[in-house]
Amino acid sequence: MDPFGRTIDYLRISVTDRCNERCLYCMPEGYKGWESKPDHLTVDEILRVVRVAAGMGFRKFRLTGGEPLVRRDVIEIVRSMAAIPGVERIGLSTNGTRLATLAQPLRAAGLSTVNLSLDALDAAIYRRVTGGDLNSVLAGIRAAVAAGFDRVKLNCVLMRGVNEPEIWPLVLFAAEHGLPLRFIELMPVTSADVLTEANFFPVTEAMRLLTERDELEAQPSHYLGWGPAKYYRLQRTGALVGFIGALTTPHFCETCNKLRLTADGKIRPCLGDHGELDLRETLRAAPSDEAVREVLLAALRRKPLEHGFGKQYQPCRPMTAIGG
Ligand code: SAM
């Protein structure tokens, strides 16, 4: 438990800060702040952290990035993690561009769930937001569904004047394929100029837009796990839609259950707080797992009550470097 009584049993592990897309909201244009490869945690170091965390009661793990599927040893990481006692669920956050070939081997290695970024269904808008190719993502979604993961969710970050016309088509797509879709409010985690009043699109507005076309029935809290989304079932289309309003939802952090591990081995107790603890140094210097456990416990104690996004928060490391 953290000092505020929240049970922290979820570790999000960024396996790389590299990405094969260039999302407007995630990586500053012309970004060159890559961590050097030797600073990235090795497979053995990641597994050691997972082993220690699982021993402390962490049960859910997620691989993220950057784009986790650009890391060549990702299947080995999943397979070895799945064999660690106490690891109950391994999730993956991905842009989906490499899933067409990797979904099946990831499933066979023990991956449980997949969260896929899908910010638009119009190929030109998709390219504008991500710099990537929509068709490869659609092929990835098909492969993920065919691979039989316990759950495949879609994530869309809302940007006014950019992918706003895509909201309803995305809902219809989610309904057609029976996939939960989450709309995410833009957070100030890139560079200061990304989150502006002009392009911020609150989830409350997305909800209002959807109520003009369908009837939203609230689902019980903590539906689909303990994530931060509030879910609604759309009565006419049947879509299951979640809203992650990090900036506009009061008490957003009340049920937060996670710590983050960055690709360069920092433990970050909160996405919206600059505090980080250096776990890599400990991993490389200390032979005892007790020292690793101490850093994880210290991170837990340092977890703030709330993120600081509403308090003139200035991003210093972009999302791609922290891990989404
Ligand atoms: N590349 C993978 C992906 O696309 O899911 C994993 C990393 S990405 C950083 C993880 C999540 O963070 C994605 O759902 C992405 O949309 C979200 N994200 C990135 N920057 C964001 C921002 N500024 N505001 C809100 N969500 C953001």
Side-chain angles (χ1 to χ4, degrees):
M1 279 209 190
D2 76 358
F4 305 102
R6 294 173 295 199
T7 300
I8 311 297
D9 63 355
Y10 179 19
L11 183 64
R12 292 175 77 111
I13 303 170
S14 172
V15 293
T16 179
D17 64 339
R18 310 297 203 266
C19 191
N20 57 346
E21 290 196 327
R22 293 288 178 272
C23 299
L24 294 175
Y25 49 73
C26 188
M27 197 187 295
E29 216 183 321
Y31 180 65
K32 294 275 185 301
W34 310 111
E35 290 141 19
S36 80
K37 283 276 168 73
D39 286 346
H40 279 170
L41 296 189
T42 63
V43 179
D44 286 346
E45 287 167 340
I46 292 172
L47 295 176
R48 188 172 168 207
V49 178
V50 172
R51 216 173 292 116
V52 173
M56 295 167 67
F58 281 76
R59 293 289 169 261
K60 289 169 276 177
F61 297 83
R62 170 169 301 279
L63 301 183
T64 181
E67 171 49 42
L69 299 188
V70 304
R71 187 159 164 160
R72 288 205 192 96
D73 47 15
V74 68
I75 291 177
E76 185 192 340
I77 295 174
V78 172
R79 191 179 299 112
S80 308
M81 276 173 70
I84 294 175
V87 174
E88 280 176 8
R89 203 178 78 200
I90 309 172
L92 173 81
S93 289
T94 175
N95 59 31
T97 53
R98 298 200 171 175
L99 262 186
T101 50
L102 289 174
Q104 192 56 51
L106 283 165
R107 181 58 168 157
L111 188 75
S112 331
T113 62
V114 173
N115 288 359
L116 254 145
S117 294
L118 183 66
D119 295 318
L121 284 166
D122 175 282
I125 299 179
Y126 184 85
R127 185 170 290 285
R128 181 177 168 210
V129 176
T130 68
D133 165 40
L134 177 69
N135 282 329
S136 63
V137 181
L138 297 179
I141 295 174
R142 281 193 294 273
V145 171
F149 292 106
D150 298 347
R151 198 180 290 144
V152 176
K153 284 188 211 157
L154 305 174
N155 284 334
C156 166
V157 177
L158 294 166
M159 289 185 82
R160 189 183 300 282
V162 180
N163 62 349
E164 184 184 339
E166 293 297 289
I167 293 176
W168 187 245
L170 282 165
V171 168
L172 295 180
F173 180 89
E176 185 189 339
H177 295 276
L179 302 174
L181 165 68
R182 300 185 306 175
F183 289 112
I184 305 176
E185 259 169 17
L186 190 61
M187 293 181 267
V189 287
T190 304
S191 53
D193 57 333
V194 168
L195 175 57
T196 61
E197 267 183 42
N199 62 20
F200 180 67
F201 195 96
V203 288
T204 42
E205 200 171 327
M207 279 179 73
R208 195 159 41 74
L209 214 138
L210 297 188
T211 42
E212 284 168 13
R213 295 178 181 248
D214 208 330
E215 192 186 329
L216 275 64
E217 189 182 87
Q219 301 300 299
S221 57
H222 311 314
Y223 194 67
L224 292 191
W226 290 83
K230 285 210 169 73
Y231 283 98
Y232 293 81
R233 176 73 69 184
L234 273 60
Q235 297 301 292
R236 196 167 59 73
T237 48
L240 182 61
V241 180
F243 299 91
I244 303 185
L247 277 87
T248 57
T249 310
H251 314 295
F252 183 76
C253 306
E254 245 169 36
T255 54
C256 185
N257 58 352
K258 50 182 156 303
L259 293 183
R260 285 183 153 80
L261 175 63
T262 67
D264 62 341
K266 307 283 190 297
I267 286 283
R268 184 151 173 141
C270 170
L271 179 62
D273 181 280
H274 294 305
E276 290 181 352
L277 291 88
D278 194 345
L279 189 56
R280 189 183 71 220
E281 200 182 83
T282 306
L283 287 165
R284 296 191 178 169
S288 100
D289 283 349
E290 190 48 37
V292 176
R293 191 182 134 87
E294 277 309 315
V295 178
L296 290 171
L297 280 173
L300 225 134
R301 286 193 289 266
R302 292 249 306 258
K303 202 169 158 60
L305 178 61
E306 287 178 331
H307 66 66
F309 290 146
K311 302 172 194 149
Q312 307 296 320
Y313 179 90
Q314 290 299 315
C316 78
R317 289 229 273 176
M319 187 73 146
T320 190
I322 300 167

